[in-house]
Amino acid sequence: MKPTVHDIAAHAGVSLATVDRVLNRRPGVSISTREKVDRAVSELGFVRDVGAANLAKGRVYPLTFIIPSNDNSFMRGLRHALDEAKASSVLERTAIRLVDVPAFDAVALARALDEAVADAPAGIAFVAVDAPDVLAAAERVVAQGIPLVTLVSDLSGAARDHYAGIDNAAAGRTAASLLGRFLGGQAGKVAVLAGSMLVRDHRERCDAFSDAMVRNFPKAQLLPVLEGRDDPGTVEQIIGALFADHADIVGIYSLGAGNRGLVRALEGVAEDKRPVVIAHELTETTRAALQSGLIDAVLNQDAGHEVRSAIRVLKAKADGLPVIAAQERIRIDIFLKDNLP
Amino acid sequence: MKPTVHDIAAHAGVSLATVDRVLNRRPGVSISTREKVDRAVSELGFVRDVGAANLAKGRVYPLTFIIPSNDNSFMRGLRHALDEAKASSVLERTAIRLVDVPAFDAVALARALDEAVADAPAGIAFVAVDAPDVLAAAERVVAQGIPLVTLVSDLSGAARDHYAGIDNAAAGRTAASLLGRFLGGQAGKVAVLAGSMLVRDHRERCDAFSDAMVRNFPKAQLLPVLEGRDDPGTVEQIIGALFADHADIVGIYSLGAGNRGLVRALEGVAEDKRPVVIAHELTETTRAALQSGLIDAVLNQDAGHEVRSAIRVLKAKADGLPVIAAQERIRIDIFLKDNLP
DNA sequence: CAAATTCTGATTTACGTACCTCAAGAACTG
DNA sequence: CAGTTCTTGAGGTACGTAAATCAGAATTTG
């Protein structure tokens, strides 16, 4: 049967207290004794029973999540994922605190980070705005020794322990491949609709998409990037104007949120003139648009996965444990109308 | 703080022993007392500490997995996922036993099921061959009260508790959409390559693909289904013959395994004559073919997810707990060369 | 009404680990 | 050599739950 600390003690010929000191890196053990214990651990294949350990420790991990108070479906999904994480927080021994900040507001975000530090949580996760103020605040967090994880959108510069989000360049390339191939060699104008070039995820998607389009589908003519602030109203207006200005739009890549406005604008386009549309995030809106054919493909990041990954990483970092990068990679889901969950 | 059994006892005005009897469905509690305890549980929001419970129980779940001894990358991946599950079995309190059976052999599979029952495991998972012998054996398993889960390929008839695998009809439809749209209206012949029509997953993919192609892309001419037995050698030969017989193959849907043979055959086709190819399962072979452009898209099911889901479900069923279906749904991953992990 | 049965309480042990205290021996220090 | 520090052992308590025993109380049965 599964070896216990008692078995380790017996096998190493030391007392339980010494085994405990070694396992929990407490001081007061000579190097030779430490090695004896380590040898016994590996020889018997001892694995600490996490359940029992948590039970004994009674430890809880107070975690702070800083989320933009942006009212779009994706952020609501993220909130929902956090609520679920809260619901199971008892079992996970986490105490999750949610902090709202205005969207795309570097100063407010930096202040929120500084305030979060004051509570001395076991870790902080936040949706980054890629700006100097935020970077400086992040560095203060890290300087306090508090594990810091960026969520959904990353921060340039190394002032964070981990990024829990998708590879946005890959997402942009994938969108280009799908759009290009769905066009089937057709020539025409392709529009890119972003939320804000201030956030790194949008910038990366946009750059990778443009790059891949130019390289692989030269027949498509890329229009200048549109910024919709992830707001449905703004988006509807921008896209409406787009179709008014250009008669030959054959493709749209919507890489941010606010797709409710996009769909409303698309509904006004004659069926035979509808462009190929690739959007991000599977929501009620994009799901319905996929099914009705207004949107052709949706790239999605699973907010639940991102939140759970962030929590796992923060807990691991708080305990000084290594993170298995491969296990924490967030996948890019591709949805067509045929494989909707 | 998190309520414990002691809090429940105090709040309900009963003893700890009675709370325990109610929580663990032991006899000897009157209906009124049971209700008092239940009320206290819901009022205080008590959640049993699974770690502590497992610790106290010292329970282990002996699980039997019956896997075809088919030597292709996907089955190797499945085995690898099972090895990983075994590695963490100590923490999960599972004891996983692997049983090999010849591939596509209903009689051998039925016998393996009967033999597995003899060990009285806490649950059995198996890759189904959809045949009457197997169904009868499955019914015997269920009759013994042993939780039974089909893995990867399902069994017709209701003789199982759960299916841990993808929606294969959705996969077939998705393949049709991708293939059809990548063709861009081009006319020509489309071939379907399966492993064996004896397994339900292949049959479902094939039917859904054919149906969707006929309906949505009538210009494509579907050829009769080819069966490659999931064997690279056989597949190479079949596909070689296919190109020899037909000059205008524009698309191939490979819905089974043995893609090494497919890729070798494709390498022999002149670049300007290469068809659009959609394959299943991300392996070393398909990954390389995606990157080199021989394969255009790969639909994937994550064997690790399937194994972990099967284990979760079997444990839950063994304890008589409900399964949250939405949480156990296995997603269909779509990989292009751009979003490879 | 006594006897049998059902229900409930009180108490104990165990699971594997963490963490604490106290004591004693070993190995240094000056 | 006395004093100090370091190392180790022994033992206990705690975490939240499961499971068992035994004794009494309440209820039903004949």
Side-chain angles (χ1 to χ4, degrees), chain A residues 14-15 18 21 28-30 33 55-56:
Chain A
V14 300
S15 76
T18 301
R21 286 189 266 257
V29 182
S30 68
T33 309
L55 182 59

Side-chain angles (χ1 to χ4, degrees), chain A residues 10-312:
Chain A
H11 193 261
V14 300
S15 76
L16 212 56
T18 301
V19 172
D20 181 66
R21 286 189 266 257
V22 173
L23 288 181
N24 295 294
R25 292 159 191 181
R26 267 185 274 278
V29 182
S30 68
I31 297 168
S32 63
T33 309
R34 182 177 300 274
E35 279 169 355
K36 269 198 295 186
V37 174
D38 285 337
R39 207 170 327 120
V41 165
S42 61
E43 278 175 16
L44 296 186
F46 170 81
V47 190
R48 171 201 255 105
D49 182 323
V50 192
N54 283 338
L55 182 59
K57 274 202 282 240
R59 161 152 208 193
V60 290
Y61 300 81
L63 303 179
T64 301
F65 277 73
I66 305 174
I67 304 292
S69 57
N70 213 335
D71 184 40
N72 59 54
S73 294
F74 177 70
M75 282 305 162
R76 276 202 301 278
L78 196 67
R79 268 158 214 286
H80 182 247
L82 278 164
D83 286 342
E84 286 197 332
K86 270 186 175 175
S88 60
S89 63
V90 178
L91 300 172
E92 313 279 350
R93 311 196 103 79
T94 55
I96 295 171
R97 203 168 73 86
L98 225 82
V99 175
D100 287 301
V101 291
F104 307 127
D105 184 338
V107 177
L109 178 54
R111 193 168 46 231
L113 279 168
D114 287 332
E115 282 168 6
V117 169
D119 292 342
I124 299 175
F126 72 114
V127 178
V129 174
D130 201 14
D133 286 351
V134 178
L135 181 60
E139 273 164 357
R140 287 191 290 274
V141 172
V142 173
Q144 292 288 316
I146 298 176
L148 186 64
V149 166
T150 48
L151 193 65
V152 180
S153 189
D154 202 5
L155 186 63
S156 301
R160 51 144 181 88
D161 292 292
H162 182 78
Y163 162 57
I166 59 170
D167 177 341
N168 287 295
R173 285 197 306 272
T174 304
S177 275
L178 286 173
L179 184 51
R181 298 209 61 167
F182 282 5
L183 284 177
Q186 189 185 354
K189 292 173 181 158
V190 170
V192 178
L193 171 68
S196 163
M197 285 291 131
L198 260 181
V199 287
R200 191 163 149 196
D201 53 346
H202 288 199
R203 226 171 41 234
E204 284 178 348
R205 287 176 198 173
C206 183
D207 291 348
F209 175 81
S210 306
D211 193 60
M213 284 302 290
V214 168
R215 194 195 314 271
N216 303 324
F217 305 99
K219 279 192 196 163
Q221 181 197 339
L222 276 179
L223 297 175
V225 182
L226 306 167
E227 289 187 62
R229 309 280 307 164
D230 286 359
D231 176 69
T234 315
V235 168
E236 183 176 7
Q237 190 192 328
I238 288 180
I239 298 296
L242 177 73
F243 281 107
D245 292 353
H246 305 273
D248 55 340
I249 301 285
V250 295
I252 296 179
Y253 175 36
S254 165
L255 57 79
N259 285 318
R260 220 158 57 240
L262 172 63
V263 168
R264 276 202 297 263
L266 286 171
E267 279 165 348
V269 178
E271 246 185 86
D272 59 327
K273 293 222 150 198
R274 276 187 193 151
V276 173
V277 178
I278 314 287
H280 269 265
E281 315 317 347
L282 188 66
T283 62
E284 280 310 305
T285 304
T286 55
R287 168 191 292 273
L290 264 181
Q291 264 157 346
S292 71
L294 283 177
I295 292 181
D296 298 89
V298 167
L299 306 189
N300 185 65
Q301 53 187 323
D302 191 309
H305 287 181
E306 292 175 326
V307 166
R308 287 189 289 273
S309 173
I311 292 173
R312 270 198 305 275

Side-chain angles (χ1 to χ4, degrees), chain B residues 13-36:
Chain B
V14 301
S15 76
L16 211 58
T18 300
V19 172
D20 182 65
R21 287 190 265 257
V22 173
L23 287 181
N24 295 291
R25 292 160 192 182
R26 268 185 273 278
V29 182
S30 68
I31 298 169
S32 64
T33 309
R34 182 177 300 275
E35 279 169 354
K36 270 198 294 187

Side-chain angles (χ1 to χ4, degrees), chain B residues 205-287:
Chain B
R205 286 175 199 174
C206 183
D207 292 348
F209 175 81
S210 305
D211 193 60
M213 284 302 290
V214 169
R215 194 195 313 272
N216 303 323
F217 305 99
K219 279 191 194 165
Q221 181 196 341
L222 277 179
L223 297 175
V225 182
L226 306 167
E227 288 188 63
R229 310 277 310 164
D230 286 0
D231 176 69
T234 313
V235 168
E236 183 175 8
Q237 191 192 328
I238 288 180
I239 298 295
L242 178 74
F243 280 107
D245 292 353
H246 305 273
D248 54 342
I249 301 284
V250 294
I252 296 180
Y253 175 36
S254 166
L255 57 79
N259 285 318
R260 221 158 58 240
L262 171 65
V263 168
R264 277 203 297 263
L266 287 171
E267 279 165 348
V269 178
E271 246 186 87
D272 58 329
K273 294 223 150 200
R274 276 188 193 151
V276 173
V277 179
I278 314 287
H280 268 265
E281 315 317 344
L282 189 66
T283 62
E284 280 311 304
T285 305
T286 54
R287 169 191 290 274

Side-chain angles (χ1 to χ4, degrees), chain B residues 156-213:
Chain B
S156 301
R160 51 145 181 86
D161 292 292
H162 182 78
Y163 162 58
I166 59 169
D167 177 342
N168 287 294
R173 285 196 307 272
T174 304
S177 276
L178 286 173
L179 183 50
R181 298 210 60 166
F182 282 6
L183 284 176
Q186 189 185 354
K189 292 171 182 160
V190 170
V192 179
L193 172 68
S196 161
M197 284 291 127
L198 259 182
V199 287
R200 191 163 148 195
D201 53 345
H202 287 201
R203 226 170 41 233
E204 284 178 347
R205 286 175 199 174
C206 183
D207 292 348
F209 175 81
S210 305
D211 193 60
M213 284 302 290

